[in-house]
Amino acid sequence: MYVSKMAGIGMTSQRARNRLVEKIRSMGITNEKILEVMRVTPRHYFLEEALASRAYDNTALPIGYGQTISQPYIVASMTQILCESGPMGRVLEIGSGCGYQTAVLAAFSEKVFAVERIQALVKRLRANLYELKVPNVKVKHSDGFNGWSEHAPFDAILVAAAPVGIPEKLLEQLAVGGRLVLPVGTGRSQELRLIKKSGTGFKEHVMDEVSFVPLLDGIE
Ligand code: SAH
């Protein structure tokens, strides 16, 4: 596991991460394993140097191409929703960006299938995961509206950008017992929804109000 590779990380960023973990704990993240993974995952690796000093603020930050690294609390919250609602064997992540959420998910899954539509971010995502020695992730440059049918069905699907409605193919690619967590809607804020697939159909729950960039068609 990549955690052992982080022994050399400076105390300053370790203290900043500890503070961040206490912040997200106070906001309702109760899963100790998630808090521990957030404590050791170096978010500053995923950012440009000029932004690294803000890496442990609980905010989204720009990663270029009009996109953002997700807010740490939201990363923890979506991970907690998935981890506490069923198995995490095969996980599909749509909108992997710089790979921070991917690295967190990888600590809980047998395999993460990461899909990103912007080629330059795919390159960065691959480099970041390689550098941090996260072994159990497969990355694809593709339009996440299609999911990743060759590796379906998935136990869990996380979407980090907001579609107007729930993409049909993602529902199709869920295993029975599988869960999909995603923001849905247009405008500045959207609904974070959890959809569970059973043998007889789907059940939907609204979990939170969130603010994501839109899920866009096609690749670039
Ligand atoms: N969770 C990531 C990025 C969040 S930003 C991180 O923390 O770094 C949302 C990401 O979704 C962006 O990188 C954007 O390019 C990507 N995206 C938007 N529409 C997409 C689509 N249809 N398929 C795949 N990725 C998409």
Side-chain angles (χ1 to χ4, degrees):
M1 238 285 262
Y2 66 94
V3 167
S4 61
K5 299 284 174 188
M6 291 172 198
I9 285 174
M11 274 315 289
T12 316
S13 76
Q14 188 56 66
R15 267 203 297 273
R17 273 201 299 283
N18 291 347
R19 265 201 307 275
L20 174 63
V21 164
E22 291 320 309
K23 170 78 186 163
I24 64 177
R25 188 199 293 279
S26 76
M27 293 173 77
I29 304 302
T30 51
N31 184 307
E32 288 297 333
K33 188 168 176 211
I34 294 175
L35 292 169
E36 188 50 34
V37 168
M38 304 285 288
R39 202 190 308 282
V40 296
T41 304
R43 191 170 181 250
H44 64 278
Y45 271 39
F46 296 84
L47 293 164
E48 283 170 25
E49 227 173 305
L51 288 171
S53 65
R54 295 169 63 198
Y56 302 106
D57 292 353
N58 185 34
T59 54
L61 292 166
I63 54 171
Y65 316 94
Q67 307 304 319
T68 53
I69 185 172
S70 305
Q71 182 195 16
Y73 166 73
I74 288 295
V75 168
S77 173
M78 289 171 89
T79 306
Q80 180 165 273
I81 288 168
L82 289 177
C83 285
E84 297 193 344
S85 56
M88 293 290 284
R90 300 162 71 76
V91 176
L92 176 67
E93 184 198 28
I94 305 294
S96 304
C98 66
Y100 176 67
Q101 168 85 73
T102 319
V104 172
L105 278 177
F108 297 91
S109 322
E110 271 160 40
K111 188 96 182 176
V112 177
F113 298 88
V115 177
E116 169 55 52
R117 69 178 286 276
I118 298 177
Q119 175 75 73
L121 288 175
V122 169
K123 231 176 127 185
R124 198 187 303 169
L125 160 71
R126 284 205 170 106
N128 286 340
L129 296 173
Y130 180 79
E131 200 175 328
L132 289 177
K133 310 236 178 329
V134 183
N136 54 331
V137 180
K138 202 171 159 76
V139 177
K140 183 176 170 180
H141 178 218
S142 179
D143 180 350
F145 275 102
N146 298 322
W148 197 337
S149 56
E150 296 92 315
H151 297 291
F154 300 102
D155 297 307
I157 303 179
L158 183 154
V159 185
V164 178
I166 298 168
E168 198 60 40
K169 287 194 179 150
L170 300 185
L171 293 175
E172 284 167 14
Q173 291 177 24
L174 271 182
V176 170
R179 294 88 57 221
L180 164 63
V181 67
L182 82 173
V184 180
T186 51
R188 273 178 162 271
S189 70
Q190 308 97 27
E191 280 180 1
L192 186 68
R193 296 196 205 166
L194 169 66
I195 295 108
K196 295 182 184 172
K197 185 171 184 168
S198 71
T200 53
F202 296 96
K203 264 205 179 130
E204 203 172 310
H205 311 260
V206 175
M207 308 299 289
D208 207 347
E209 188 183 309
V210 289
S211 182
F212 279 86
V213 295
L215 192 72
L216 301 175
D217 280 320
I219 56 171
E220 61 180 76

